[in-house]
Amino acid sequence: MQKGLLTRLIVHQILKYLKDNRASFEKIFDYNNIYHKGLILSDKNLIRNIVLTAMRNEIIIKRIINKYTRKIKINGDEYFILLSAIAQIIFLNFK
């Protein structure tokens, strides 16, 4: 798997787990790092930055998603992919 795709997959898994379960970000992040030891420090910082920004601005991002999509499940995979993508594009200026 490409390095960029792996980081986005981990971001998706962390966001979904945070939404479904009551756990702290640090516990989930440490648990995911056990299984993904091939990540370098910059990838780990990218994951941390995207997840925290998406969580911090979730209300604004949810408004954007509702404005431009017609049917989307809040607990579906598409929602978490859009959540992380919008956080990267709008708030972090990643492309």
Side-chain angles (χ1 to χ4, degrees):
M1 182 178 289
Q2 294 177 347
K3 187 167 65 168
L5 292 177
L6 180 62
T7 57
R8 267 54 174 207
L9 177 65
I10 295 171
V11 167
H12 170 266
Q13 291 170 347
I14 291 173
L15 285 172
K16 187 167 183 149
Y17 193 82
L18 282 171
K19 185 77 170 184
D20 293 341
N21 303 318
R22 299 263 180 201
S24 70
F25 170 73
E26 294 299 325
K27 287 182 183 177
I28 297 170
F29 188 73
D30 292 338
Y31 177 75
N32 257 340
N33 280 339
I34 293 171
Y35 296 108
H36 302 289
K37 290 188 177 184
L39 297 174
I40 57 175
L41 183 61
S42 64
D43 290 339
K44 292 178 185 179
N45 289 337
L46 176 70
I47 292 168
R48 181 183 309 271
N49 200 2
I50 293 171
V51 170
L52 292 178
T53 301
M55 288 171 34
R56 203 175 297 125
N57 298 307
E58 184 180 7
I59 295 171
I60 298 168
I61 296 171
K62 190 182 288 188
R63 287 183 192 161
I64 293 170
I65 291 173
N66 288 335
K67 183 176 181 178
Y68 292 107
T69 60
R70 296 188 191 273
K71 295 180 182 178
I72 192 163
K73 296 179 183 177
I74 298 298
N75 291 330
D77 292 330
E78 299 88 9
Y79 175 76
F80 296 109
I81 292 171
L82 284 173
L83 185 70
S84 64
I86 293 172
Q88 290 176 46
I89 294 171
I90 293 180
F91 298 104
L92 297 174
N93 294 324
F94 291 164
K95 294 186 180 185

